[in-house]
């Protein structure tokens, strides 16, 4: 009989968003007349920018003619998209074309990147944290078992809460791999350049690698928040950056993202020799991935056109206005809320220190609104709750009005 990967048995319950969807579905089945509004999972609701649609239609037409048909493309991505990425997002930062790897999204990349690292590496994650970072390392065998406190043995947890303004402190124990998400999912908070510089300095001093998830960089509105970790001196020696078109331009159902991995980022083999991670990732990427579809990459390229930039900004502004509506509505009834300024997420303190899953049920039953319990993002998320600004405007306004009128706190 075949053996399973026993590391999967260490995972806690089901994936967070499957559990929230299950509870919401059960409520809808029991209350078929209820109009339930979801401000839970971070999926977008605005359509793709028209510039992207035009480009993708043109690319589809190209696939219908023998002289313009495309089969397998370069696994790393077409040069037209890579050049547009560098020109618009990394100009002046010294990023080269062979340091960009186009993919089907940041979720896949942040999960897959750990394959090029040994299982004996110690990872550090913020708590609360996007579940994919932790779960994929559990699957790989890089952690111990989960204790009664909800934490896995062998993992360095970096608490972020109101007491430290949601900025993680440097760990006392050395970490090999450090996950940083900025703007942060789930808290919607950010790190300034000086704060991020401390982490880059730490990584260089300790020969650590920073995995920097910048999937929400398009939502940054404050000048002291860097859009890329490569704006920080020394980051090209110790950081890998993840980007996405999903939340930026609505590609959640179209799938396109990319990794930025400078050739100067290195790690050690068992014999102590240094090796460039770029080469290792290229080997993994070309072995397990046949590349993002040509049609999709043409659509992504259009994001950087003048028309595309204008349309993307309109979409981002729309979601940020939703975030303002949610945040203002919560604070008007005495609920403490964070985020929503540089990110599409509102992180609220549950009233009266209510457990976050209890607040999920209360919000669903009293206001028919779905959110995401903070405890699902880690032990330090207990007592907090996430709402997303990715909903439709009418639904967002109605959801906030229901919370203000129906929620007993």
């Amino acid at each position: 009989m075949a053996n399973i990967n026993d590391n999967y048995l260490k995972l806690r319950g089901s994936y967070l968003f499957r559990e929230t969807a299950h509870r919401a579905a059960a409520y809808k089945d029991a209350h078929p007349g209820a109009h339930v509004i979801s401000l839970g999972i971070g999926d977008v609701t605005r359509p793709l920018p028209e510039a992207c649609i035009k480009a993708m239609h043109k690319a589809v037409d190209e696939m219908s003619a023998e002289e313009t048909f495309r089969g397998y493309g370069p696994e790393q991505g077409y040069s037209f998209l890579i050049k547009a990425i560098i020109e618009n997002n990394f100009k002046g930062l010294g990023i080269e074309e062979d340091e960009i790897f186009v993919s089907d999204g940041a979720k896949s990349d942040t999960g897959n990147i750990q394959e090029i690292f040994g299982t004996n590496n110690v990872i550090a994650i913020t708590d609360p944290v996007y579940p994919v970072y932790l779960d994929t390392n559990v699957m790989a065998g890089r952690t111990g078992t989960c204790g009664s406190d909800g934490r896995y043995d062998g993992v360095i947890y970096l608490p972020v809460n109101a007491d430290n303004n949601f900025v993680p402190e440097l760990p006392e124990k050395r970490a090999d791999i450090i996950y940083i998400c900025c703007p942060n999912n789930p808290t919607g908070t950010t790190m300034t350049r000086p704060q991020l510089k401390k982490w880059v300095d730490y990584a260089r001093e300790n020969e650590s690698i920073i995995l920097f998830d910048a999937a929400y960089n398009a939502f940054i509105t404050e000048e002291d928040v860097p859009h890329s970790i490569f704006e920080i001196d020394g980051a090209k020696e110790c950081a890998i950056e993840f980007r996405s078109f999903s939340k930026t331009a609505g590609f959640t159902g179209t799938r396109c993202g990319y990794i930025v991995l400078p050739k100067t980022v290195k790690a050690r083999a068992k014999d102590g020799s240094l090796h460039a991670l770029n080469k290792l990732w290229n080997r993994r990427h070309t072995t397990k991935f046949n590349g993002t579809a040509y049609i999709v990459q043409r659509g992504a390229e259009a994001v950087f056109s003048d028309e595309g930039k204008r349309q993307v900004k309109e979409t981002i502004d729309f979601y940020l206005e939703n975030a303002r509506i949610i945040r203002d509505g919560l604070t008007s009834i005495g609920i403490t809320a964070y985020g929503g300024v540089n990110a599409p997420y509102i992180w609220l303190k549950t009233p009266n220190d209510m457990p976050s899953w209890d607040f999920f049920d209360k919000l669903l039953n009293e206001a028919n609104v779905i959110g995401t319990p903070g405890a699902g993002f880690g032990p330090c998320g207990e007592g907090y709750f996430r709402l997303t600004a990715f909903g439709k405007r009418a639904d967002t306004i109605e959801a906030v009005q229901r919370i203000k009128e129906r929620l007993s706190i």
Side-chain angles (χ1 to χ4, degrees), residues 167-350:
V167 177
E169 302 289 341
L170 296 176
E172 296 180 1
K173 179 182 177 183
R174 181 186 173 279
D176 297 299
I177 301 171
I178 303 158
Y179 287 83
I180 295 177
C181 181
C182 185
N184 185 265
N185 176 16
T187 66
T189 54
T190 54
M191 296 171 68
T192 63
R193 283 181 174 80
Q195 290 167 341
L196 190 54
K197 181 66 165 60
K198 290 181 181 179
W199 282 98
V200 171
D201 291 344
Y202 171 91
R204 295 175 69 192
E205 291 168 4
N206 290 277
E207 293 190 333
S208 306
I209 303 295
I210 296 175
L211 304 182
F212 189 77
D213 188 349
Y216 300 96
N217 80 90
F219 290 86
I220 294 172
T221 62
E222 296 179 322
E223 292 185 1
D224 64 340
V225 179
H227 286 257
S228 169
I229 195 170
F230 299 118
E231 296 175 28
I232 308 300
D233 289 341
K236 286 185 65 180
E237 299 175 16
C238 63
I240 303 172
E241 183 161 309
F242 304 85
R243 290 285 189 108
S244 172
F245 291 96
S246 288
K247 310 304 167 63
T248 300
F251 276 55
T252 55
T254 312
R255 310 308 305 146
C256 192
Y258 56 95
I259 279 181
V260 186
L261 208 173
K263 295 188 289 293
T264 45
V265 179
K266 298 179 180 180
R268 295 191 182 276
K270 288 183 179 179
D271 62 6
S273 58
L274 283 171
H275 296 267
L277 295 180
N278 179 286
K279 184 176 180 180
L280 299 183
W281 178 251
N282 186 64
R283 186 67 170 88
R284 189 270 176 203
H285 196 69
T286 56
T287 299
K288 292 192 173 185
F289 188 60
N290 272 337
T292 303
Y294 170 73
I295 296 166
V296 172
Q297 291 192 59
R298 280 298 187 191
E301 179 194 26
V303 168
F304 301 111
S305 66
D306 290 341
E307 182 185 10
K309 290 177 182 178
R310 177 179 56 78
Q311 292 165 357
V312 166
K313 186 178 185 305
E314 290 174 356
T315 296
I316 297 296
D317 289 346
F318 177 91
Y319 291 135
L320 285 174
E321 175 61 13
N322 277 355
R324 185 199 63 78
I325 292 169
I326 296 170
R327 183 167 174 161
D328 287 355
L330 294 173
T331 56
S332 73
I333 57 172
I335 294 178
T336 302
Y338 310 90
V341 176
N342 298 297
Y345 297 120
I346 304 297
W347 188 245
L348 65 94
K349 189 76 178 70
T350 57

Side-chain angles (χ1 to χ4, degrees), residues 87-145:
E87 175 65 23
N88 289 275
N89 287 343
F90 301 97
K91 189 173 183 178
L93 298 182
I95 301 300
E96 300 176 1
E97 288 189 37
D98 60 355
E99 295 175 329
I100 303 284
F101 297 86
V102 179
S103 70
D104 61 349
K107 180 178 182 179
S108 299
D109 285 340
T110 54
N112 292 332
I113 194 66
Q114 50 83 26
E115 290 188 25
I116 66 173
F117 295 102
T119 55
N120 60 334
N121 283 288
V122 176
I123 68 164
I125 59 172
T126 57
D127 179 11
V129 72
Y130 180 46
V132 173
Y133 307 155
L134 177 61
D135 289 356
T136 52
N137 279 283
V138 175
M139 293 171 177
R142 205 167 280 114
T143 74
T145 56

Side-chain angles (χ1 to χ4, degrees), residues 7-20 22-23 131 134-135 138-139 145-147 150 152 357 375-376:
N7 293 310
Y8 278 68
L9 301 180
K10 296 187 294 187
L11 292 167
R12 293 181 302 153
S14 62
Y15 183 55
L16 170 61
F17 299 109
R18 286 185 59 86
E19 177 62 21
T20 57
H22 173 75
R23 294 196 183 197
L134 177 61
D135 289 356
V138 175
M139 293 171 177
T145 56
C146 186
Y152 284 89
W357 277 106

Side-chain angles (χ1 to χ4, degrees), residues 370-402:
I370 299 170
T372 309
F377 295 100
C380 284
E382 183 58 271
Y384 291 92
F385 201 81
R386 194 192 77 174
L387 294 176
T388 173
F390 284 125
K392 298 176 181 178
R393 178 61 50 77
D395 284 346
T396 300
I397 292 173
E398 183 175 348
V400 170
Q401 195 62 31
R402 289 184 191 175

